[in-house]
Amino acid sequence: MQHRLEAVIFDWAGTTVDFGSFAPTQIFVDAFRQAFDFELSLAEARGPMGLGKWQHIEALGADPVVGARWQARFGRPMSHADIDHIYRTFLPLQVERVAAHADLIPGTLETIAAIRGRGMKIGSTTGYPRQVMERLMAAAEAKGYAPDCTVCADDLEAGARPGPWMALQCVLDLGIGSVARCVKVDDTLPGIAEGIHAGMWTVGLALSGSPAGLTLAEYETASAEERRAVRERVTPAFVEAGAHFVIDTIAELVPVLDEIEARLGRGERP
């Protein structure tokens, strides 16, 4: 049936695990400090979230504010050698700590069960390298979450986000018949771009991910007004990036899948 969805492809940190996506952001701060005694704020570290981690560091070096501070400190722009050194510092820190940020975002198990109950497959892509994901996948599986496939930022020669390649590799791995019957769910703008470039429906997560920057405790104790304020701050960027839907967290996804199938039934495509 051409109106039935075949797969959902999820991001990891900020989408299915690690509410607020704190594991990578804090470690970028620590890696810059350890590698070059260079101070980076958490807000600055969040800026390029969703890219591969080497590309994330490169983007921070190209950021007008961070780059100017780097230039003032070292008298030169950040070089590829500098990026390599920060990345080599980042990687073991991330491998060491990622399992401590493997708690599932509330609603993940229920949503995954509902998706599987519809006969759909579960794919995943991530800005983490494979070395980090081996640790995170094992920790998540112990908590009950194991997608049918995972494609990492360093798996493909073509590259990672914002290109379509990781999402399209999921299509191949899962044996999907049409990209128009796939949904990409992500808390980052590069992740939304990945889905759009792959020809998929896209769903942005406004409150569980890096742009919102809330801890789970902050989210759970926030008033309706406080949540609305964060939602209004974060959502426009997702809309501008082309997200077809924007919801708070993965817990609200199933009704969106119903709406997408209704739109497919009317002949609409992403």
Side-chain angles (χ1 to χ4, degrees):
M1 299 175 67
Q2 295 302 307
H3 69 280
R4 299 301 299 272
L5 288 167
E6 294 187 62
V8 180
I9 299 171
F10 291 101
D11 177 47
W12 280 78
T15 297
T16 55
V17 301
D18 186 11
F19 198 104
S21 194
F22 281 92
T25 48
Q26 181 59 54
I27 294 172
F28 279 121
V29 172
D30 295 344
F32 270 77
R33 184 180 295 130
Q34 288 190 25
F36 284 102
D37 193 26
F38 184 85
E39 292 301 320
L40 193 70
S41 71
L42 270 177
E44 288 169 336
R46 288 187 182 281
M49 196 60 68
L51 299 176
K53 301 315 177 192
W54 194 97
Q55 292 75 18
H56 187 123
I57 297 166
E58 180 183 40
L60 286 171
D63 177 83
V65 175
V66 176
R69 202 159 73 243
W70 184 279
Q71 179 80 36
R73 171 76 182 278
F74 299 109
R76 55 175 173 76
M78 186 182 293
S79 68
H80 276 209
D82 296 331
I83 299 169
D84 285 340
H85 181 47
I86 297 169
Y87 182 77
R88 287 194 299 268
T89 305
F90 170 90
L91 193 57
L93 292 175
Q94 189 71 87
V95 171
E96 174 187 344
R97 301 184 197 172
V98 71
H101 295 269
D103 285 346
L104 302 183
I105 289 173
T108 295
L109 291 181
E110 295 83 354
T111 299
I112 294 300
I115 292 170
R116 293 201 187 280
R118 300 163 81 114
M120 297 168 61
K121 297 177 181 178
I122 307 292
S124 67
T125 68
T126 178
Y128 282 136
R130 177 64 60 176
Q131 183 179 352
V132 173
M133 280 308 300
E134 293 294 343
R135 182 73 61 88
L136 180 55
M137 286 189 294
E141 185 171 5
K143 299 175 185 292
Y145 175 56
D148 299 314
C149 73
T150 297
V151 183
C152 303
D154 59 349
D155 282 348
L156 306 177
E157 287 188 20
R161 301 165 182 160
W165 307 290
M166 292 196 297
L168 293 178
Q169 186 62 52
C170 285
V171 170
L172 294 174
D173 291 347
L174 298 174
I176 301 304
S178 171
V179 292
R181 289 190 275 159
C182 294
V183 182
K184 179 69 192 353
V185 182
D186 208 294
D187 68 295
T188 70
L189 301 184
I192 295 299
E194 173 190 23
I196 290 171
H197 292 155
M200 300 175 178
W201 300 93
T202 56
V203 180
L205 303 180
L207 297 190
S208 67
S210 183
L214 299 172
T215 66
L216 179 57
E218 288 169 339
Y219 170 77
E220 290 178 334
T221 60
S223 66
E225 177 63 23
E226 289 169 333
R227 290 189 186 186
R228 183 186 64 79
V230 177
R231 194 181 295 119
E232 290 181 353
R233 171 174 63 84
V234 170
T235 298
F238 280 114
V239 174
E240 184 177 350
H244 297 94
F245 300 86
V246 182
I247 57 178
D248 287 354
T249 77
I250 190 174
E252 300 175 356
L253 182 61
V254 172
V256 173
L257 302 183
D258 293 334
E259 174 61 22
I260 292 173
E261 289 194 336
R263 292 174 65 172
L264 285 170
R266 295 192 295 266
E268 298 181 38
R269 293 296 181 267

